[in-house]
Amino acid sequence: MANLSSFINPEGSSFDFEELEEAIVLQRVELQNDELQSSQPSSNQNQSQRKGANSTSQRQLDAKTLRRLAQNRVAAKKSRLRKKAYIQQLESSRIKLSQLEQDLHRARSEGLFLGACGGVMGGNISSGAAIFDMEYARWLDNDLRMMSELRAAVEGHLPDGDLRAIVDGYMSHYDEIFELKSVGAKSDVFHLMTGMWMSPAERCFLWIGGFRPSKLIEMVIPQLETLTEQQAVGICNLQRCSQETEDALYQGLDQFHHSLIMAVAGTAMMEGVNHMAVAAGKLSNLEGFIRQADMLRQQTLHQLCRILTGRQAARCFMVIGEYYGRLRALSSLWVSRPRESRRWLNDEGPCQTAATRRRTEEEMIQNQIQSSHNHFPNF
């Protein structure tokens, strides 16, 4: 009979449960065999028949037992791998959270926060806005990585089904930023509404905390391959519906601005009502406008992906990514322009004419645009 204590780890740290279970099953088989052998048959003929049945049953039992033990070992191995992956994921999340808390504490102690696009913001930024900027910077890093994978898939001429799977993953990536904005709007709605988390060039085209869906469709469609008649009709209807919803939201926002102006401009106390408290209460409606605008943006992207084929949808996201990448590059060029312009003006001296200054600035802008084109390839 198998000795069960031999399956205990000699160091006493843990059990080998697989071998222990196998020993228990084999011990049960041995007990059954001993019981069969201990029973005496009434005649030699019955004894021979019993032995034959016993051997057949034992062979069947052994095969069934071994099969079950093999299945148990495979299931136990999968369970250990899942547990290990889960523990590693928890540990990674804990490290990221600790680093985020350290960065936030360091930024608070220095009295400033660095925005996602490199702009320095004053110390009066809220902690919720700072956390959103950090999460948005992480989202941008993932966006660059996923854009490279998407471009490689398109240039590799993958089948439409494989491209569709990659596009679905990229759409989930955009769903993540809409979820981040929803959480960020609850913490600091002004930060989201004014677009301080964007680059200066992106803020020029800001519409209720993000891009305007109808203008995005207008920019993307000419860059795509030839559309079928059904696709063209579907995109026209989508653009028209987006435009109508945008107009409705803009009218509601205009009415909100009017009511807020009247509340702020009113006297401090009138008929027992504190108008500043009323105005502060009205500001909570801004979160609703951002949420509805983001919902329109998200639904437009999803609907656009349904209309287009896998390759066209991949191309669509490439155009969007490169467009906003160029806007961020344009912001960097514009920020660096005054410094270089002043340096060159000082080198030329005070006698430089206006025409010379214009030529110098035009040459500088052309050089910067050329470097931007080298960084962001043509559509």
Side-chain angles (χ1 to χ4, degrees):
M1 184 180 299
N3 186 8
L4 300 182
S5 62
S6 63
F7 296 98
I8 302 178
N9 192 315
E11 298 179 358
S13 59
S14 62
F15 287 92
D16 191 339
F17 289 102
E18 294 181 3
E19 296 186 4
L20 179 60
E21 183 181 2
E22 184 175 356
I24 293 174
V25 175
L26 293 177
Q27 181 183 3
R28 188 185 306 124
V29 173
E30 292 179 2
L31 290 175
Q32 292 177 354
N33 293 337
D34 292 340
E35 292 177 357
L36 292 174
Q37 292 176 2
S38 61
S39 61
Q40 298 296 332
S42 59
S43 62
N44 294 333
Q45 183 179 1
N46 292 337
Q47 185 176 4
S48 61
Q49 294 177 353
R50 289 276 185 89
K51 288 181 178 180
N54 184 22
S55 60
T56 303
S57 176
Q58 184 176 358
R59 286 195 300 270
Q60 294 177 353
L61 185 60
D62 290 344
K64 184 186 299 184
T65 300
L66 294 175
R67 186 167 59 253
R68 192 179 70 172
L69 289 175
Q71 294 175 351
N72 290 343
R73 280 194 291 269
V74 173
K77 183 177 180 180
K78 291 181 179 180
S79 178
R80 287 194 300 271
L81 291 176
R82 286 195 300 268
K83 181 179 179 181
K84 183 178 179 181
Y86 178 69
I87 292 175
Q88 290 177 350
Q89 182 181 3
L90 288 179
E91 182 65 19
S92 177
S93 300
R94 185 189 66 81
I95 293 175
K96 289 182 180 180
L97 180 60
S98 178
Q99 292 176 349
L100 183 61
E101 291 176 349
Q102 292 176 3
D103 293 341
L104 183 59
H105 179 73
R106 188 184 307 111
R108 284 175 174 172
S109 63
E110 294 175 357
L112 55 88
F113 292 99
L114 294 178
C117 298
V120 179
M121 300 180 183
N124 59 348
I125 186 174
S126 65
S127 59
I131 292 176
F132 174 81
D133 287 347
M134 294 178 185
E135 289 296 320
Y136 180 67
R138 178 188 61 81
W139 184 88
L140 283 180
D141 292 338
N142 293 335
D143 186 70
L144 291 175
R145 176 182 56 81
M146 297 184 70
M147 178 59 62
S148 299
E149 296 175 357
L150 185 64
R151 184 179 294 108
V154 173
E155 294 175 353
H157 302 287
L158 292 182
D160 197 77
D162 296 341
L163 283 175
R164 175 61 66 180
I166 298 176
V167 167
D168 291 342
Y170 206 87
M171 190 65 246
S172 300
H173 173 64
Y174 268 87
D175 291 338
E176 181 183 356
I177 188 60
F178 291 128
E179 182 65 25
L180 288 176
K181 289 178 66 179
S182 176
V183 176
K186 295 178 181 179
S187 301
D188 192 340
V189 67
F190 287 111
H191 188 71
L192 271 293
M193 196 70 178
T194 56
M196 296 305 297
W197 45 283
M198 291 181 168
S199 63
E202 290 177 286
R203 289 199 294 270
C204 291
F205 306 97
L206 188 68
W207 179 79
I208 313 184
F211 63 86
R212 191 162 188 157
S214 62
K215 295 299 181 182
L216 185 74
I217 296 175
E218 182 179 343
M219 181 267 296
V220 166
I221 296 306
Q223 307 293 338
L224 300 180
E225 300 172 357
T226 304
L227 301 174
T228 64
E229 183 178 355
Q230 183 178 2
Q231 287 177 327
V233 172
I235 291 176
C236 288
N237 291 334
L238 177 62
Q239 187 174 12
R240 178 178 53 80
C241 293
S242 299
Q243 182 69 53
E244 293 175 355
T245 308
E246 291 166 7
D247 293 342
L249 282 174
Y250 190 79
Q251 291 177 4
L253 187 62
D254 187 62
Q255 294 176 1
F256 165 76
H257 286 160
H258 178 73
S259 62
L260 185 62
I261 290 173
M262 299 307 296
V264 174
T267 56
M269 290 291 295
M270 184 177 182
E271 297 180 357
V273 178
N274 190 334
H275 284 259
M276 293 305 296
V278 174
K282 290 181 178 294
L283 289 177
S284 61
N285 295 327
L286 279 176
E287 181 184 343
F289 282 104
I290 291 183
R291 185 174 60 252
Q292 294 180 24
D294 279 343
M295 187 179 300
L296 176 61
R297 286 185 272 264
Q298 188 176 16
Q299 291 177 353
T300 301
L301 288 177
H302 277 278
Q303 189 64 25
L304 194 60
C305 288
R306 295 190 190 99
I307 296 174
L308 301 175
T309 64
R311 184 167 299 277
Q312 289 173 337
R315 185 70 175 170
C316 172
F317 280 117
M318 287 177 59
V319 171
I320 295 174
E322 291 188 355
Y323 171 73
Y324 282 102
R326 291 184 177 189
L327 285 181
R328 288 189 288 270
L330 180 61
S331 298
S332 300
L333 294 176
W334 180 255
V335 170
S336 62
R337 175 180 174 272
R339 290 195 297 269
E340 296 182 5
S341 178
R342 286 195 299 269
R343 177 171 58 82
W344 290 347
L345 288 174
N346 292 333
D347 292 342
E348 292 291 337
C351 298
Q352 186 184 33
T353 63
T356 305
R357 284 198 299 268
R358 282 198 300 270
R359 285 196 301 270
T360 303
E361 292 179 356
E362 289 176 356
E363 292 176 357
M364 178 191 65
I365 293 175
Q366 289 296 331
N367 293 332
Q368 291 175 337
I369 292 176
Q370 182 64 34
S371 63
S372 174
H373 285 174
N374 293 335
H375 185 67
F376 296 97
N378 291 329
F379 293 156

